[in-house]
Amino acid sequence: MTDITTEGASIAFDKVGKAFTKAGGATVNALEGISLDVAPGSITGIIGRSGAGKSTVFNLLTRMVDPDRGEVLLGGVPVADYDLGVLRDQFSTVSQEAALFDESLRDNMLMGRPDASEDDLRRAMDAAHVTDFVDAEKRGLDSAAGPRGSSLSGGQRQRIAIARAVLRDAPILLLDEATSALDTASERLVQDALDRLARGRTTLVIA
């Protein structure tokens, strides 16, 4: 199956249930008969207490897990009918814990699209407010992120992750508590970058 377009990036859950077995053998229902319809290009918030199954929604969409009951559809097609690589190409994710590697800042951003041009990279950096701090670094884009991004502040790590998502340019954006661990100043910058990234995309936000 080929990629879907931004305009076709609808999401639907039809009476979806998912249970997990805990240590000791007890079964816990993460989702029970959930139905929802998300229109292409819309922004939908998923709000609930810790352990309520919010992250399970993302995991079902990307087929990290499969439902026990019901059906998950993307662009009107069951996610199980997609080639797994094609399916996951439809998503960009920005989570509370940005997944950075002990490589240069450039390499961390280009993981979203290794063949991106220098102009594309610069546009993504501007959109994500990365230029603000990278140009002040002695080695610029060649500066090391450090193990798990340890050379950067929390806000800087998130902005690198957002620039990567801008380059990836996937039709669906998954935001998993992306600003919850930031101070007020960093949160404003990151939220502005996320608002730009979400434009024209189907966006699900866990809060």
Side-chain angles (χ1 to χ4, degrees), residues 176-200:
D176 189 354
E177 300 190 80
T179 64
S180 62
L182 303 179
D183 59 65
T184 303
S186 294
E187 183 177 4
R188 280 197 298 268
L189 286 171
V190 170
Q191 189 59 58
D192 179 70
L194 290 172
D195 289 344
R196 298 183 194 190
L197 177 58
R199 290 172 191 163

Side-chain angles (χ1 to χ4, degrees), residues 5-204:
T5 65
T6 302
E7 292 76 16
S10 62
I11 293 169
F13 278 55
D14 183 14
K15 299 177 182 176
V16 171
K18 181 63 184 176
F20 295 96
T21 302
K22 298 175 68 175
T27 300
V28 177
N29 287 322
L31 297 175
E32 195 167 359
I34 296 296
S35 294
L36 62 87
D37 287 289
V38 179
S42 65
I43 299 176
T44 302
I46 303 173
I47 301 171
R49 59 180 172 77
S50 179
K54 303 185 299 296
S55 295
T56 303
V57 171
F58 285 10
N59 290 337
L60 287 163
L61 271 172
T62 55
R63 291 201 70 201
M64 300 299 289
V65 297
D66 289 322
D68 299 323
R69 299 172 300 283
E71 196 167 47
V72 180
L73 301 102
L74 179 61
V77 178
V79 294
D81 289 352
Y82 283 87
D83 173 84
L84 193 57
V86 171
L87 174 68
R88 292 178 178 167
D89 279 346
Q90 311 311 310
F91 299 94
S92 289
T93 302
V94 181
S95 62
Q96 179 180 352
E97 189 65 36
L100 300 189
F101 300 90
D102 191 13
E103 304 290 346
S104 71
L105 301 183
R106 180 193 301 274
D107 288 341
N108 269 284
M109 288 183 283
L110 288 177
M111 287 174 186
R113 201 175 99 219
D115 62 347
S117 69
E118 192 70 18
D119 285 345
D120 288 339
L121 177 58
R122 279 288 168 180
R123 280 192 289 269
M125 289 170 57
D126 290 344
H129 294 291
V130 169
T131 310
D132 303 350
F133 68 88
V134 165
D135 285 350
E137 294 282 340
K138 185 175 181 180
R139 297 184 61 199
L141 283 169
D142 293 324
S143 300
R148 300 178 63 86
S150 57
S151 296
L152 305 172
S153 70
Q156 289 170 341
R157 287 195 295 272
Q158 290 298 75
R159 284 182 272 168
I160 291 289
I162 292 166
R164 180 193 297 164
V166 172
L167 282 173
R168 186 169 171 77
D169 196 26
I172 300 172
L173 178 61
L174 306 178
L175 303 179
D176 189 354
E177 300 190 80
T179 64
S180 62
L182 303 179
D183 59 65
T184 303
S186 294
E187 183 177 4
R188 280 197 298 268
L189 286 171
V190 170
Q191 189 59 58
D192 179 70
L194 290 172
D195 289 344
R196 298 183 194 190
L197 177 58
R199 290 172 191 163
R201 291 181 170 83
T202 305
T203 303
L204 294 183

